[in-house]
């Protein structure tokens, strides 16, 4: 859906009529499509309860219509995490040959980590599809799988399609290539699509998306700026430009674009969260805490899965600000939201350490590591906390004890090993871990190791540069 439609007179009139009915009970005269637009509007802004109510009203008035039931099922599945209820709603669809019935059942399976079962189900549905609908069925099925980054299954279904000149086919192929890590070929396809349709904001955004993944942040900014020039209120274009600026450590401008992005939705969690992170980098703690508080409020109202992440950043901000009571309260709220108990214990250790309570911090780290049975992720979290508080020897000691299996599972560990070795003057260890870091975690290496190298140098060149520097010294 083009969300600019929500600003149109046609939609605002329909919404006004519907909300007047909710307030006074006054009759309205809206068709099924209009009610579903209203449901989409509420969902877009994070009001899932109101979205479900609008969809339910559409179902009451238009019992045989498929879209209200599909919409309800997806909200139950993706927002409320109730797959069984979602499947029960999907089964209310009377026309069991409707393509949307096939898709929603398959999506529920995929969301429940049953991708192979979904694939088998869609294969069984294939012979039920009419000749007229068959080309769309193949493309839609490929799109469904690529939406969940299931690229092998997406490729399988796309290969069955003969619509190779169809823009949807080419776009889906471009997305598959992106998730396969073939950014150059993905970019080539979206550039070709833009040659045919230069004012297509979605294509510009996909170009920026691939360029960010390929760490070409200046190019991503350029692509985003084309999209913004076409539509200054496009959410993704503002987001991608902000993300690219943030990666380039231009936090001031990134914050401005995250804030512009945040204003587009009433309950925009990500925009306020990222604006807060930028402000923390700029040492503007008071402003950052306001943005994070807004993100938390929105996350709670929209039942967002981002709530633990927002609370985690509030922990760091309050701790750094010296407000231990609020920091500890945020940790408690994280636990209530489902945070891992060992991560919570490490966070408590971080609060103690940052505020000068060394013995209490040490006890927290030991408790978390032992309770996790020396799990690599918990050890990494403890080491990062120690490093951030300038306890380099302790951080390096913990990192050095992480198992080889967990090193492969959490490759960013190599980056921290390299940083600690560098700061501790362990030159040979630094070179060894740097080679692993740039090969296995180049994105994190760029973020954390860039200050050690000439401005603009790619992570792939870090190792040879450091090696040459070592040989010359």
């Amino acid at each position: 859906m083009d969300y600019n439609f929500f600003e149109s007179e046609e939609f605002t009139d329909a919404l006004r009529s519907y909300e007047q009915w909710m307030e006074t009970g006054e009759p309205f005269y809206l068709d099924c499509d209009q009610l579903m637009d209203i449901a989409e509007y509420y969902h877009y802004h994070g009001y899932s309860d109101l979205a479900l109510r609008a969809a339910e009203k559409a179902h009451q008035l238009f019992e045989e219509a498929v879209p209200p039931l599909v919409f309800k099922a997806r909200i139950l599945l993706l927002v409320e995490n109730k797959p069984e209820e979602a499947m029960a709603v999907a089964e209310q669809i009377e026309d069991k040959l409707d393509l949307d019935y096939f898709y929603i059942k398959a999506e529920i399976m995929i969301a429940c980590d049953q991708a192979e079962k979904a694939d088998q189900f869609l294969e069984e549905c294939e012979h039920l599809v009419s000749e007229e609908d068959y080309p769309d069925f193949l493309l839609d099925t490929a799109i469904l799988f690529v939406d969940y980054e299931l690229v092998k299954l997406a490729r399988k279904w796309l290969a069955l399609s003969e619509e190779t000149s169809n823009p949807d086919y080419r776009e889906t192929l471009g997305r598959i290539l992106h998730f396969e890590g073939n950014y150059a070929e993905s970019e080539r396809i979206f550039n070709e699509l833009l040659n045919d349709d230069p004012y297509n904001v979605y294509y510009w955004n996909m170009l920026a998306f691939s360029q960010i993944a390929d760490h070409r942040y200046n190019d991503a900014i350029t692509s985003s700026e084309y999209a913004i020039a076409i539509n200054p209120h496009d959410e993704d274009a503002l987001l991608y430009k902000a993300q690219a600026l943030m990666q380039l450590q231009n936090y001031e401008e990134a914050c401005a674009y995250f804030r512009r992005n945040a204003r587009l939705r009433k309950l925009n969690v990500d925009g306020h969260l990222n604006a807060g992170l930028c402000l923390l980098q700029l040492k503007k703690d008071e402003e950052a805490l306001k943005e994070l508080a807004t993100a938390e409020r929105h996350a709670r109202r929209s039942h967002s899965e981002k709530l633990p992440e927002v609370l985690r950043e509030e922990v760091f901000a309050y701790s750094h600000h010296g407000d231990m009571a609020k920091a500890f309260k945020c940790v408690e709220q994280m636990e209530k939201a489902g945070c891992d108990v060992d991560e919570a214990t490490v966070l408590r250790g971080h609060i103690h350490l940052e505020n000068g309570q060394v013995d209490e911090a040490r006890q927290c780290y030991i408790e978390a590591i032992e309770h996790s049975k020396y799990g690599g992720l918990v050890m990494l979290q403890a080491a990062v906390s120690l490093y951030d508080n300038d306890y380099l020897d302790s951080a390096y000691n913990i990192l050095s004890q992480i198992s080889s299996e967990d090193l492969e599972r959490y490759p960013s560990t190599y980056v921290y090993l390299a940083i600690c070795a560098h700061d501790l003057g362990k030159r040979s260890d630094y070179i060894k871990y740097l080679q692993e870091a740039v090969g296995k975690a180049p994105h994190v290496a760029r973020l954390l190791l860039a200050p050690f190298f000439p401005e603009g140098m790619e992570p792939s060149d870090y190792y040879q540069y450091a090696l040459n520097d070592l040989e010359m010294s």
Side-chain angles (χ1 to χ4, degrees):
M1 167 175 282
D2 180 2
Y3 293 104
N4 290 316
F5 172 70
F6 293 150
E7 304 296 325
S8 69
E9 183 177 353
E10 175 189 352
F11 176 77
T12 54
D13 286 346
L15 180 63
R16 189 181 306 113
S17 178
Y18 176 79
E19 292 187 336
Q20 189 170 353
W21 165 76
M22 283 201 299
E23 184 177 344
T24 66
E26 182 177 325
F28 62 78
Y29 302 96
L30 302 174
D31 62 27
C32 186
D33 288 342
Q34 289 174 305
L35 286 168
M36 292 314 302
D37 287 340
I38 291 168
E40 288 282 1
Y41 168 82
Y42 286 131
H43 174 53
Y44 175 72
H45 286 292
Y47 300 109
S48 57
D49 292 343
L50 291 174
L52 277 171
R53 184 176 179 184
E56 181 59 41
K57 189 63 179 176
H59 176 56
Q60 290 174 0
L61 295 176
F62 307 95
E63 292 184 4
E64 295 184 3
V66 174
L69 292 172
V70 170
F71 183 89
K72 284 179 60 180
R74 297 194 83 237
I75 293 290
L76 288 166
L77 176 69
L78 302 176
V79 178
E80 302 196 3
N81 193 28
K82 298 176 180 177
E84 292 182 1
E85 291 185 29
M87 189 64 83
V89 169
E91 290 297 351
Q92 293 177 34
I93 296 173
E94 293 185 10
D95 184 359
K96 296 296 193 283
L97 295 179
D98 191 291
L99 295 185
D100 284 331
Y101 171 73
F102 300 155
Y103 303 148
I104 188 58
K105 285 198 66 172
E107 183 168 8
I108 294 168
M109 295 173 195
I110 293 168
C112 293
D113 295 322
Q114 298 174 338
E116 297 300 331
K117 182 178 178 181
D119 179 50
Q120 183 179 350
F121 169 72
L122 289 166
E123 284 182 348
E124 293 168 357
C125 296
E126 191 175 357
H127 74 278
L128 301 175
V129 179
S130 69
E131 184 178 348
E132 180 183 0
D133 289 337
Y134 189 66
D136 288 341
F137 173 76
L138 295 177
L139 279 177
D140 290 343
T141 299
I143 291 169
L144 174 61
F145 282 118
V146 82
D147 282 346
Y148 283 85
E149 300 182 26
L150 297 166
V151 292
K152 289 184 179 179
L153 291 171
R155 265 200 178 279
K156 166 191 164 180
W157 285 92
L158 192 67
L160 298 174
S161 174
E162 297 178 355
E163 306 280 305
T164 54
S165 61
N166 185 318
D168 289 340
Y169 177 101
R170 294 159 66 197
E171 172 193 317
T172 305
L173 179 58
R175 293 179 65 200
I176 289 171
L177 289 162
H178 171 92
F179 290 123
E180 289 176 338
N182 191 344
Y183 305 122
E185 190 63 15
S186 175
E187 184 172 343
R188 182 189 66 78
I189 287 174
F190 282 105
N191 272 316
E192 287 181 353
L193 287 165
L194 282 165
N195 287 337
D196 297 335
D197 188 2
Y199 295 99
N200 189 309
V201 172
Y202 177 77
Y203 295 159
W204 282 113
N205 285 338
M206 284 304 303
L207 201 58
F209 183 49
S210 276
Q211 289 161 342
I212 288 173
D214 201 23
H215 314 307
R216 293 167 46 218
Y217 303 117
N218 286 311
D219 290 339
I221 289 170
T222 300
S223 297
S224 298
E225 286 173 344
Y226 277 111
I228 293 168
I230 297 166
N231 179 6
H233 305 295
D234 185 82
E235 182 177 357
D236 287 338
L238 295 170
L239 176 63
Y240 293 147
K241 181 169 182 180
Q243 288 176 338
L245 287 164
M246 192 176 187
Q247 293 297 333
L248 293 171
Q249 300 181 7
N250 185 344
Y251 298 114
E252 194 82 51
E253 194 174 354
C255 181
Y257 276 91
F258 280 127
R259 281 173 159 167
R260 282 180 62 180
N261 171 271
R263 287 194 291 270
L264 296 176
R265 295 195 189 203
K266 291 184 172 66
L267 297 181
N268 188 324
V269 177
D270 284 338
H272 291 289
L273 170 59
N274 284 302
L277 294 179
C278 289
L279 289 164
L280 287 175
Q281 292 291 333
L282 293 166
K283 311 300 182 186
K284 297 180 180 180
D285 290 359
E286 292 289 349
E287 286 186 62
L289 283 167
K290 288 180 182 178
E291 291 287 353
L292 293 173
T294 301
E296 180 190 343
R297 187 167 63 252
H298 289 349
R300 291 187 183 281
R301 291 188 65 185
S302 62
H303 309 290
S304 171
E305 62 183 16
K306 289 291 185 88
L307 178 59
E309 182 180 348
V310 175
L311 289 167
R312 184 184 300 110
E313 296 303 333
E314 287 186 285
V315 169
F316 293 131
Y318 281 122
S319 176
H320 185 70
H321 204 56
D323 195 335
M324 295 177 66
K326 286 185 179 178
F328 283 128
K329 184 177 180 180
C330 287
V331 176
E332 290 176 11
Q333 292 172 335
M334 284 181 67
E335 289 181 298
K336 291 177 182 178
C339 166
D340 178 75
V341 63
D342 295 321
E343 179 187 358
T345 304
V346 170
L347 286 170
R348 289 189 176 94
H350 181 89
I351 297 165
H352 284 301
L353 190 61
E354 189 169 32
N355 289 276
Q357 299 176 352
V358 179
D359 291 338
E360 292 89 340
R362 181 185 297 110
Q363 187 57 43
C364 286
Y365 296 137
I366 292 172
E367 179 185 336
I369 291 170
E370 289 182 347
H371 185 266
S372 72
K373 298 180 180 178
Y374 293 82
L377 180 58
V378 173
M379 293 177 74
L380 174 60
Q381 290 168 341
V384 171
S385 176
L386 286 159
Y387 175 81
D388 287 344
N389 286 284
D390 295 324
Y391 286 81
L392 302 185
D393 284 309
S394 297
Y396 190 66
N397 182 49
I398 291 176
L399 291 167
S400 299
Q401 295 179 58
I402 293 177
S403 69
S404 56
E405 292 83 0
D406 280 337
L407 281 171
E408 294 305 309
R409 191 175 293 120
Y410 309 110
S412 60
T413 305
Y414 286 114
V415 180
Y416 282 98
L417 279 163
I419 292 174
C420 288
H422 176 277
D423 291 354
L424 290 168
K426 299 178 183 289
R427 302 292 297 280
S428 60
D429 284 353
Y430 166 59
I431 294 295
K432 176 179 69 175
Y433 291 127
L434 176 64
Q435 185 176 24
E436 297 288 350
V438 298
K440 296 178 179 177
H443 177 59
V444 181
R446 181 193 296 271
L447 286 175
L448 299 179
L449 297 174
F452 301 159
F453 300 95
E455 185 176 352
M457 178 177 284
E458 290 298 316
S460 57
D461 297 325
Y462 287 179
Y463 173 70
Q464 191 59 51
Y465 180 91
L467 194 62
N468 292 341
D469 187 53
L470 179 63
E471 290 173 352
M472 292 175 62
S473 61

